[in-house]
Every structure is written in structure tokens, then in C-alpha cells.
Amino acid sequence: MELMTNHFQKIFGLSKPILIAGPCSAESEKQTLETAHELKKHKNLIFRAGIWKPRTRPNSFEGIGFKGLQWIQKVKEETGLKTTIEVAKAEHVELALRHQVDILWIGARTTGNPFAMQEIADALKNEDIPVMVKNPINPEVNLWIGAVERLQDAGIYNLAAIHRGFFTYKNSKYRNIPQWQLALDLKRKFPDLPMICDPSHITGNSNHILEIAQKAMDMSYDGLMIETHIDPENALSDKEQQITPLELEVILEKLVVRNFEIDDKEFKATLNQLRIQIDDLDIELLDVLKRRMDLVEKIGHHKKENDVTILQNNRWLEMLKSRVKYGEEKGLSEVFIQQLLKAIHQESIDKQNSVMNKK
Ligand code: PEP
Ligand code: MN
């Protein structure tokens, strides 16, 4: 069965982009309700709060647990907002359903754990509740796909994905690097799956929320999840990345929401012209790559005849250096050239390997 297109809009009558906001964690009844009351003016808003918090290290605030569910229920009664919480095991699912939570989400640490995902999927069998699936912590798109499939197999078709970035050992501007390509890979697998971006967990820093939120809008994401707390400085979890409801308003005012398509003839004609040129260039690019690979095969034969190894590291390092320099002069980024050359180099090695292994 197919995923329903933008079912979140259909279910709740919300328009794009859907906004999910609320604190990282429900900490007290007062903090939860005050935050919700400040947010209720946004008509597209779904209220989020973590009840059980999966923390990297023990002895951190691990969520308020069961009693927080009553606060979430109160949010619903007092503000009329729809609510969403994270579930990580069957017991959470049962309690959330019992407390009329409207939408569930699966956290990044759970998506990457097939046992937990299966337990949740089993607990959700025959339930009619939308579920959002965050990407796993590590950049393995198959875990994300697998989590969605487990839920589909349990008969849950009201699904969305939340892109919250991926862990990296490298020094990076962001807490979790976005790796937009991986989110696009998921989208390719499930074209109708609504995509929500979580700039809070991507950036880990309240100063960078807008830039990531804008990128997501530019890429036609269906919604945003932004951690919002009445007093971020004193938040019990993720305080560097939480913003106040007022700061959220400022961000929303600055955000440019682009149309996926517009019905303007001139716009379409110009876009088509540019796309035709891109199509031509891509063909040229592929032809050049084919010519390059033919040369690589010739080198492979030459090395084989002379009993020389395939990988010659000095040559590779020199190539990389000179190409990066040339590319940078042309305004292409170092990271891009490195990634491109690495992919080309890998294919070249594979080609030469197959020449070497031919009898
Ligand atoms: C959260 O949304 O507060 C959370 C714990 O997120 P993640 O699972 O993306 O780390
Ligand atoms: Mn958080």
C-alpha cells in the first residue's frame, strides 16, 4: 500500500510547512503548559515534548516519565494543540495511546536499533496513529528505511521522516552534520513520505536554527521540528539549542517559504532552458568520464604487462592536490572536489583491478 501524500496536512488540516515545536523535555507542569500557551497562536503547530529522554551518558536528566503524560494531556485540553512525544519501547506506546497523544516519534537512537523498532512496530499493530521516524545517529540510510518498513509492515501508513542530522567524528560547525544526500536517498525510496527537518538537533546551537530551517524550506521539506522552551538557559536537556517562543516567532518571520512550483509561464520557460543546458552538460560530463575510464583501462594493461601495482599513492596525492587547487581557482569547494575525485579514483581502481584479474 502506498503512503498517503502529506497525510499530516490531511489529518489535521494543516498547511505546509508543518511546525512542530515545544521543549526538548517536559520538565514540570508549569514549564510544559507555559511553553504550550505561548505557542498556541501558531495555527500550524503540533506541540512536542520529550517524556522519556535517551541520554548518551547516565546521570543526566532522563525525562520526567509517566507523570509528564498528564501534562501533555492538559496541553491538549487547554490549548487545543495536537501533541507528539517520543516512544522507544512498547510500554511507551501503550501509555502514549492511553493518554491521547496524537502523533508518536521514534528517536534517532531507536531507529538504529532493529530490536526496539520491531517491538514498537508490534505494539502499534492495528493502531491508527501517525508516526514520525528520525534518522539514525550513524549515516546508514538502510536503518532509516528499515525502520519505516517495519512500521509499514505493522500496518502503519501515516508516516513521516524527521531529518535530524548524523554523528561525525570530524570537527564540524554543527552538532550533527546534515548529509542532505542521505535524506534525499530516503525520499527516493519513499517518494510520498513527508520530510520534516529538525534544525535544533542538526545545529545543536540556537544561533544556527534559521540557516538550516531555510535550507530545508529551499529543498521543499514539508515541515520543521524546532525545540522551544520558555527558559532555555535553565533547560534540563539540550539547552544550547533551544529557543524561546519569541525567538521562534522571529525565525518564522524571517523564513522564506518557497513554492514547490508556480504557475508562471515565464518562470517555467526560463527554468526549462536552464534544465536543458544542465542535461547537455551532464551528458558531456559522462562522456568525459567514459573517456577517462578508457584511459584508466589502458594504464591497467600497461601496469599488468610490466608487473606494477595498481595503487600508487604518491601519484594519487599529487593529483588530488593539483585538482583541488585548480578547482578552487574556479570557485569549486575543496570538499566537493575531494569527494568527486575519490569517487572517480575508486572506480578507476576497480577498473584496473578487473584488468589485472582477467586471465
Ligand atoms: C529529541 O528530539 O529531543 C531527541 C532526543 O532527538 P534525537 O532522537 O534526534 O536525538
Ligand atoms: Mn533534544
Side-chain angles (χ1 to χ4, degrees), residues 229-359:
H229 190 291
I230 36 159
D231 183 13
E233 263 176 48
N234 292 305
L236 298 181
S237 57
D238 285 350
K239 64 178 182 185
E240 294 82 9
Q241 70 195 33
Q242 300 207 61
I243 57 173
T244 62
L246 196 63
E247 286 166 331
L248 179 67
E249 263 177 57
V250 174
I251 285 179
L252 294 177
E253 265 166 32
K254 290 188 181 157
L255 201 65
V256 181
V257 180
R258 301 186 206 284
N259 295 312
F260 181 59
E261 268 185 335
I262 55 169
D263 215 17
D264 177 320
K265 279 208 180 88
E266 211 167 300
F267 164 79
K268 280 187 177 163
T270 309
L271 188 63
N272 271 345
Q273 274 175 9
L274 293 169
R275 282 183 172 160
I276 288 166
Q277 292 179 57
I278 295 237
D279 291 348
D280 282 353
L281 283 179
D282 281 352
I283 297 292
E284 248 179 68
L285 213 54
L286 293 174
D287 287 343
V288 170
L289 283 173
K290 164 76 176 117
R291 275 167 35 214
R292 190 187 193 283
M293 289 305 158
D294 289 347
L295 285 175
V296 162
E297 266 185 48
K298 271 193 191 159
I299 293 183
H301 284 292
H302 190 53
K303 284 179 182 166
K304 185 178 181 180
E305 278 153 21
N306 293 284
D307 278 334
V308 173
T309 59
I310 295 174
L311 189 65
Q312 298 189 337
N313 214 29
N314 282 348
R315 159 83 180 145
W316 162 237
L317 292 175
E318 267 168 36
M319 271 171 60
L320 198 60
K321 206 165 131 193
S322 70
R323 289 359 173 218
V324 165
K325 184 166 176 286
Y326 182 79
E328 279 188 320
E329 280 164 17
K330 301 269 168 196
L332 301 170
S333 83
E334 180 178 349
V335 175
F336 169 63
I337 300 167
Q338 278 186 354
Q339 283 176 345
L340 183 70
L341 280 176
K342 273 184 196 156
I344 293 174
H345 189 231
Q346 185 58 54
E347 179 72 7
S348 305
I349 290 174
D350 292 349
K351 277 254 170 329
Q352 293 193 22
N353 260 326
S354 67
V355 169
M356 289 281 178
N357 292 331
K358 242 185 231 155
K359 296 246 163 66

Side-chain angles (χ1 to χ4, degrees), residues 27 46 55 127 132 144-145 169 176 189 193 195 198 230 237 280 301-302 312 321 324 353:
E27 298 167 1
I46 296 165
R55 305 309 296 276
E127 298 293 346
M132 307 183 287
W144 206 0
I145 292 174
Y169 280 108
N176 292 291
K189 173 79 187 162
L193 190 70
M195 296 292 296
D198 174 348
I230 36 159
S237 57
D280 282 353
H301 284 292
H302 190 53
Q312 298 189 337
K321 206 165 131 193
V324 165
N353 260 326

Side-chain angles (χ1 to χ4, degrees), residues 116-135:
M117 274 314 304
Q118 196 53 52
E119 181 184 317
I120 293 169
D122 292 342
L124 280 167
K125 247 194 186 108
N126 305 322
E127 298 293 346
D128 184 22
I129 185 164
V131 182
M132 307 183 287
V133 185
K134 286 200 168 195
N135 66 260

